[in-house]
Amino acid sequence: MFNVICMASDFFYPNMGGVEEHIFNLSQCLIRRNYKVIIITHSYDQRVGVRYMTCGLKVYYLPIKVFYNQCILPTMICNIPLIRYILIREQVDIIHGHSAFSALGHEVSLVGRTMGLKTVFTDHSLFGFADTSAVLTNKFLELSLADCNHCICVSHTGKENTVLRAKVPSNRVSVIPNAVDAYSFTPDPSKRTDISDGITIVIISRLVYRKGVDLMAAIMADICPKYRNISFIVGGDGPKMWLLQEVRQRKGLQDQITLLGSLEHSQVRSVLNKGHIFLNTSLTEAYCMAIVEAAACGLQVVSTNVGGIPEVLPEKLIYLTEPTLDSLVLGLEKAIFDLQSSRNVCPYECNELVKSMYNWIDITQRTEIVYKRVAGEPKNSLGEQLKSYIPCGVWPYLLVVSLVYLIIQFLEWCVDRKNIDIAKNLTGNDKINNKNKSK
């Protein structure tokens, strides 16, 4: 018998980003290791209901409206009937939430814990401690992780950050990095222009403040007039897209700056292979998937030296700079000079290095160890669950958890789990037989 894992997050395909890719690839590898995996996320435009992806991965796109920045409104109680129904129908054993920003991930975890299920949480981001938004987010994360069985961080810097801001005991936090499919992100130098004809700098990122879009705009305004043979390709969308459009229009740089907007994941490799240098201007980052994909495609990476980024790539594959305009421009100029002097690392050597450092099989095996550990832990009673929240100092939250428990108990009486149809678990042989029948 195998465990049923429920991945829960506001961030999933067709939305693009490191969290989305992490959830999908981890789910695919778990399925290959005979786990059943389902994903719970919110609807995206017309994508509502149950959808199936590669290897029979089932995705529940719940009919919940987005509140802010692709996240739902954290009501805590409004979605309990639907979440409970799915967890019972799929016979979920472990809930794996992703991203501190995801209200849905925290909500599914809370409902699951109250139902007696085990929970794991992966934190993909770093936060500060001073500004108002960070204080509120950190307190909410502290409450959410107070009763979580285990927490995973994607870098050692991320672990230190999570332990400090969420007050999670360090023995309940593991470091398991992201990975990249280096067999899919392979170099193709034939798609690049010759260096003598021009150098292309690629940026693929969500266009939000924490990704350093203000620095991107300032760099373009500085570099483009100085080097007329340099061009920028920007992939990604977000609320700060207007800033890049304004710089391009005001400086007359339409011939040097190409804004592609939102990209499908299948398009990322082809865009990366058009470039010589990859630029990352993040102001905070626990682990940057984009720079690993860029290095796998053989690009020289110039990145801000923030968060867990120094842990990600070896020194010869990355130029680390301070998150300032002058430092980033100097880093780019050094990368350009090394490229023109043929001092850059061979693209195929870059790919082999990334392939040896990161692979999803290893990440999945390490995550499976966490699952086995939490599966053996005893279930907490309601009293023990409430007791774990007391050190957080937010007493009204105990009333919220108690209300969640009462609603679940009412649903147990009103909608008996015996009357809920159990979804069939397809084994590997069933999948093959169904595929043959369809032919």
Side-chain angles (χ1 to χ4, degrees):
M1 182 178 180
F2 51 82
N3 286 324
V4 181
I5 312 297
C6 171
M7 303 285 180
S9 180
D10 280 297
F11 308 107
F12 192 64
Y13 297 150
N15 196 49
M16 290 303 304
V19 177
E20 293 84 345
E21 186 180 346
H22 179 97
I23 294 172
F24 178 79
N25 286 318
L26 178 59
S27 299
Q28 293 297 317
C29 290
L30 286 169
I31 290 172
R32 291 186 175 92
R33 293 181 67 83
N34 288 329
Y35 283 82
K36 178 182 177 182
V37 183
I38 68 164
I39 294 173
I40 296 180
T41 187
H42 61 71
S43 60
Y44 283 89
D45 297 325
Q46 301 302 314
R47 188 172 295 199
V48 186
V50 180
R51 301 293 178 94
Y52 288 88
M53 304 183 77
T54 309
C55 294
L57 175 62
K58 184 188 287 188
V59 185
Y60 285 89
Y61 289 96
L62 305 188
I64 307 173
K65 294 292 184 182
V66 171
F67 173 63
Y68 174 73
N69 198 22
Q70 292 298 339
C71 293
I72 67 167
L73 181 68
T75 62
M76 311 303 291
I77 60 173
C78 291
N79 304 307
I80 292 176
L82 188 54
I83 293 171
R84 171 186 173 270
Y85 187 93
I86 294 171
L87 297 180
I88 294 174
R89 173 176 168 76
E90 298 293 343
Q91 295 183 300
V92 171
D93 299 301
I94 297 173
I95 296 171
H96 191 163
H98 290 266
S99 181
F101 291 107
S102 173
L104 182 59
H106 295 301
E107 197 165 313
V108 174
S109 296
L110 173 61
V111 175
R113 285 196 299 270
T114 311
M115 293 173 61
L117 304 179
K118 306 300 172 55
T119 57
V120 176
F121 179 82
T122 296
D123 194 358
H124 295 264
S125 304
L126 295 178
F127 291 88
F129 299 87
D131 59 284
T132 305
S133 63
V135 171
L136 293 174
T137 304
N138 291 346
K139 179 55 71 174
F140 183 71
L141 189 65
E142 181 184 352
L143 288 166
S144 181
L145 298 186
D147 192 39
C148 183
N149 294 93
H150 204 82
C151 184
I152 297 173
C153 293
V154 293
S155 67
H156 293 280
T157 303
K159 176 179 177 177
E160 293 175 7
N161 184 261
T162 299
V163 168
L164 287 173
R165 63 192 171 90
K167 298 182 176 63
V168 183
S170 58
N171 65 329
R172 287 204 291 119
V173 183
S174 299
V175 177
I176 302 176
N178 281 327
V180 64
D181 185 358
Y183 294 94
S184 297
F185 287 88
T186 53
D188 188 358
S190 64
K191 291 189 175 181
R192 304 175 181 175
T193 58
D194 190 84
I195 294 176
S196 59
D197 297 327
I199 293 175
T200 302
I201 299 172
V202 175
I203 302 171
I204 296 180
S205 170
R206 284 195 185 99
L207 301 183
V208 295
Y209 172 76
R210 74 180 188 88
K211 293 295 186 179
V213 182
D214 300 84
L215 284 173
M216 285 182 208
I219 290 167
M220 292 174 187
D222 186 283
I223 290 285
C224 289
K226 193 185 300 184
Y227 301 95
R228 301 304 299 184
N229 66 329
I230 288 181
S231 60
F232 286 83
I233 298 177
V234 182
D237 202 356
K240 303 215 70 164
M241 169 67 87
W242 67 269
L243 183 58
L244 302 184
Q245 293 171 334
E246 182 181 345
V247 168
R248 184 175 66 168
Q249 183 69 27
R250 182 160 39 88
K251 298 287 185 177
L253 301 174
Q254 288 84 351
D255 59 330
Q256 288 182 268
I257 300 175
T258 303
L259 302 178
L260 300 177
S262 182
L263 295 174
E264 296 289 337
H265 189 254
S266 57
Q267 299 173 300
V268 173
R269 175 182 174 268
S270 62
V271 174
L272 287 173
N273 277 319
K274 293 178 181 177
H276 302 88
I277 297 170
F278 184 84
L279 176 63
N280 173 54
T281 59
S282 293
L283 302 178
T284 174
E285 199 80 67
Y287 178 103
C288 187
M289 179 75 77
I291 65 173
V292 181
E293 292 175 346
C297 287
L299 280 72
Q300 298 301 296
V301 177
V302 178
S303 174
T304 49
N305 185 4
V306 297
I309 287 179
E311 303 175 30
V312 177
L313 292 174
E315 187 177 345
K316 64 179 179 179
L317 297 187
I318 188 170
Y319 298 83
L320 292 172
T321 72
E322 294 301 313
T324 63
L325 174 61
D326 292 341
S327 181
L328 280 163
V329 169
L330 284 174
L332 274 175
E333 290 178 334
K334 187 175 188 308
I336 292 167
F337 178 77
D338 288 348
L339 199 63
Q340 292 172 333
S341 305
S342 299
R343 296 179 183 175
N344 58 305
V345 181
C346 169
Y348 297 101
E349 184 183 342
C350 291
N351 183 267
E352 289 299 322
L353 275 171
V354 172
K355 195 182 296 181
S356 65
M357 292 171 63
Y358 301 108
N359 69 84
W360 281 110
I361 301 300
D362 175 59
I363 302 307
T364 304
Q365 290 173 345
R366 293 164 68 176
T367 305
E368 191 177 1
I369 293 172
V370 173
Y371 290 161
K372 289 179 179 178
R373 173 179 172 178
V374 302
E377 294 180 2
K379 292 182 180 180
N380 288 338
S381 64
L382 176 63
E384 292 171 326
Q385 186 177 356
L386 292 174
K387 188 177 179 180
S388 65
Y389 297 120
I390 292 177
C392 301
V394 185
W395 295 90
Y397 191 71
L398 275 65
L399 297 176
V400 175
V401 177
S402 301
L403 180 58
V404 171
Y405 177 80
L406 290 174
I407 293 173
I408 291 175
Q409 293 307 308
F410 173 75
L411 291 170
E412 289 286 347
W413 170 78
C414 185
V415 186
D416 196 314
R417 62 176 60 212
K418 293 180 181 178
N419 297 325
I420 297 176
D421 292 332
I422 302 302
K424 183 180 179 182
N425 298 329
L426 295 179
T427 64
N429 291 331
D430 291 329
K431 292 175 185 177
I432 293 171
N433 293 333
N434 287 344
K435 186 176 180 181
N436 291 335
K437 288 178 182 178
S438 66
K439 290 181 179 179

